[in-house]
Each structure stands twice: as structure tokens, then as C-alpha cells.
Amino acid sequence: MLKKLYKYDWKSVSMLLLVLHGVLLAYSVIGRLAVVIAENFATRGGNNFDTHTSLVTTIFGMSAVAYILIYVIFIIGIVLATILYLAARMQKSLFSDEGYLTNTLPVSQDKLLWSKILVFWTWSAIDFLCVALSILILSSYPETMQDILDGFQLFFTSLLGFEGFNAMTNAIAVTLGLIAEYFFYMTSLILFSICLGSLFKTHKSLGAVVSFFGINIGQSVIMLILMFILPPLSPITTIVTTDSGEIISSTGGNGTAQVLFMIVWYLVLSVVFYLGSRYILTKKLNLD
């Protein structure tokens, strides 16, 4: 039954998101073609530079600045639109008029929740890949390709331990930290905030937004307090030096320990938020 729920939720959100991400990739291809045209024009006009060539070059330069500005705004907009649209679809599916049908289906609340979570994860991964592919389309040139390959090589050699155990540990910890924060913590927090918003008598969407930011700020403050209290996690580094500038001692938190603490913190909160969402759907369901 989870597979059927996933297919239904996937179809209900994918049309608009496919169009948005398709537009992003098309915009990137247009930019790449414009760069190729500008390079060809500069090559042909290099030996015969005149006022006309200078004017066209200036227009190309101004267009490039405008294109990059719109491109950055477009990428930020696509990422935010994906998250907000998926969240809105969650709210509509669970607590609007559509929620009457959803919550009367002969399936468990766990399957309803996991269907939403899996769709959110799938589109988050697609969103990341589309943005990465878009940037690659615009930035992969013979002059820059070697730097791109060197960057990938450095990351994977660190991840696989070829740069030493510490580098491998740090790379794995950071990667897992990003996954835990975005795919687990952020998804469960959005879902829990939507469930909390449903408990408000009026302005349920506003209640969900307030819950999201309130919980996120609150947990961030608590996490920082714990990191300052626990010496191995403290972000403060103290360096004692002699008059000659020689370092005698240095104290401060361990970077890997800090990342591992945040991974555990986000995973624990993810479980708490999931159980809270499940409890609300099971015991406190409010469709008014």
C-alpha cells in the first residue's frame, strides 16, 4: 500500500516541479550557447576591432551580468519553491478537504507519513542534481574542466581515506552531517510543523510557519548552549603564546566531535518530530 500512496503523492506534485526544473536546465543551456556565441564573436573581431565590435562586446558584458544575476535568483527560487510546494502539498493532503479522504484510507498513519517523506526526499535529490547539472553546464569549459576534476578528486580521495585517516573521517562526518540535517531533520521538522499548525483554531498555515521557525530557533539555541558547556564540543579556541610568539598550548573543541554531535542531535530530533507527527495524526487529528 505504501507503494501506491507514493505513486499517488508523486504524481500529485511532480508536474509543476518537472516544469520548473526543466526551465532551469533550458535557461542554463541558453546561457551556455550565448557564451559560445560571444567567444566566437570575440575571436572573429579580435583582428578587426572597431567601434561596432566594442559596442557589441559591451552589450554582451552587460547581458552576461544580468543573466548571472537572474540565474542566481532563479536557483534560489527553484530550491525554495520546491520546499514550499512540497510542504504545501503535505498540508493540503493531510489537513485540508483532501485530508478527509486521506485520513479515511485503510492504511496506517506511518504509511501516510512515510509516503510524504519519501516524495520529499526524492524531489530534494532531484532538485540537488538539477542545480548541480545546471552549474556544470555553465561552468564546464576546457579552461575550467581541470579545476573541476581536481576538486572532485580531492573530495573523493579524502572520502576514501587516500589523504589520511583524519581527512577521511572529516569528509565522511561532514557528508553525513549534511544528509542528517537536510534529509532527516528538515523533512521531519516541516512535517511536524504542519501537524502542529493543524491544531490552531484559525490561520493553520501561519501556525505551521511560526512552529517551524520557533522550533528551529529554539533547538539551535539549545544545541549551541550544549556545545559551549561540553568541553570537547566547545567552538572557542584559546591560544597561549610566549613573548616571542611561540604557541605553548591550544584548547578548543574537536571539529569531528562537533560534527558527530550535530549528526546525533539532528537524528534524535528527527525521531522526536516524526513521533510527534504520528501522535497528532493518530490522537489529535483536527480537520476543521
Side-chain angles (χ1 to χ4, degrees):
M1 192 61 182
L2 177 60
K3 184 177 180 180
K4 293 181 178 180
L5 288 172
Y6 176 82
K7 286 183 177 180
Y8 174 79
D9 287 331
W10 168 264
K11 290 180 180 179
S12 67
V13 303
S14 294
M15 181 59 69
L16 177 61
L17 294 179
L18 284 172
V19 171
L20 287 176
H21 289 80
V23 171
L24 173 64
L25 293 178
Y27 188 73
S28 304
V29 172
I30 292 172
R32 179 60 180 263
L33 293 175
V35 171
V36 173
I37 293 173
E39 288 180 343
N40 290 336
F41 179 83
T43 301
R44 292 177 181 178
N47 297 326
N48 187 24
F49 192 83
D50 54 18
T51 304
H52 175 70
T53 304
S54 177
L55 178 60
V56 174
T57 302
T58 302
I59 293 175
F60 269 126
M62 295 175 63
S63 300
V65 173
Y67 177 90
I68 293 174
L69 179 61
I70 296 173
Y71 178 72
V72 172
I73 295 174
F74 197 14
I75 284 184
I76 296 174
I78 286 287
V79 174
L80 292 178
T82 300
I83 296 173
L84 292 175
Y85 181 68
L86 291 174
R89 283 299 308 167
M90 283 184 185
Q91 194 276 336
K92 182 178 180 181
S93 176
L94 292 173
F95 298 109
S96 67
D97 293 340
E98 187 178 333
Y100 285 98
L101 174 62
T102 302
N103 289 284
T104 55
L105 293 174
V107 294
S108 65
Q109 303 300 331
D110 288 312
K111 289 182 179 180
L112 288 177
L113 290 173
W114 274 108
S115 174
K116 316 300 179 190
I117 291 172
L118 291 175
V119 170
F120 196 97
W121 284 355
T122 303
W123 264 111
S124 295
I126 294 174
D127 185 52
F128 172 80
L129 292 175
C130 285
V131 171
L133 178 59
S134 172
I135 295 174
L136 187 63
I137 290 173
L138 287 175
S139 62
S140 58
Y141 298 93
E143 297 82 7
T144 61
M145 185 57 67
Q146 187 58 48
D147 293 332
I148 295 175
L149 294 176
D150 290 342
F152 278 109
Q153 183 180 7
L154 178 62
F155 173 75
F156 284 110
T157 52
S158 299
L159 191 64
L160 297 175
F162 298 132
E163 294 291 333
F165 180 77
N166 289 334
M168 177 185 68
T169 304
N170 291 334
I172 293 176
V174 171
T175 303
L176 293 178
L178 293 174
I179 293 174
E181 181 177 5
Y182 187 79
F183 284 91
F184 289 91
Y185 167 75
M186 192 60 65
T187 305
S188 60
L189 175 57
I190 290 174
L191 190 57
F192 184 54
S193 299
I194 292 172
C195 292
L196 284 179
S198 71
L199 301 179
F200 285 62
K201 293 183 179 181
T202 59
H203 305 294
K204 298 180 184 297
S205 297
L206 178 60
V209 173
V210 172
S211 298
F212 176 85
F213 285 104
I215 293 172
N216 196 38
I217 293 172
Q219 71 83 21
S220 298
V221 171
I222 295 173
M223 182 176 65
L224 286 175
I225 292 174
L226 291 176
M227 291 180 69
F228 276 102
I229 292 175
L230 301 175
L233 305 176
S234 176
I236 299 177
T237 299
T238 303
I239 300 176
V240 180
T241 60
T242 62
D243 294 336
S244 61
E246 180 183 359
I247 297 177
I248 297 178
S249 63
S250 174
T251 59
N254 180 273
T256 302
Q258 293 171 353
V259 175
L260 292 177
F261 168 76
M262 287 189 287
I263 292 174
V264 174
W265 178 260
Y266 287 135
L267 291 179
V268 170
L269 288 179
S270 300
V271 173
V272 172
F273 294 154
Y274 175 82
L275 294 177
S277 302
R278 186 176 182 274
Y279 175 78
I280 292 173
L281 285 176
T282 305
K283 304 294 184 181
K284 302 289 185 180
L285 183 62
N286 179 19
L287 299 177
D288 294 335

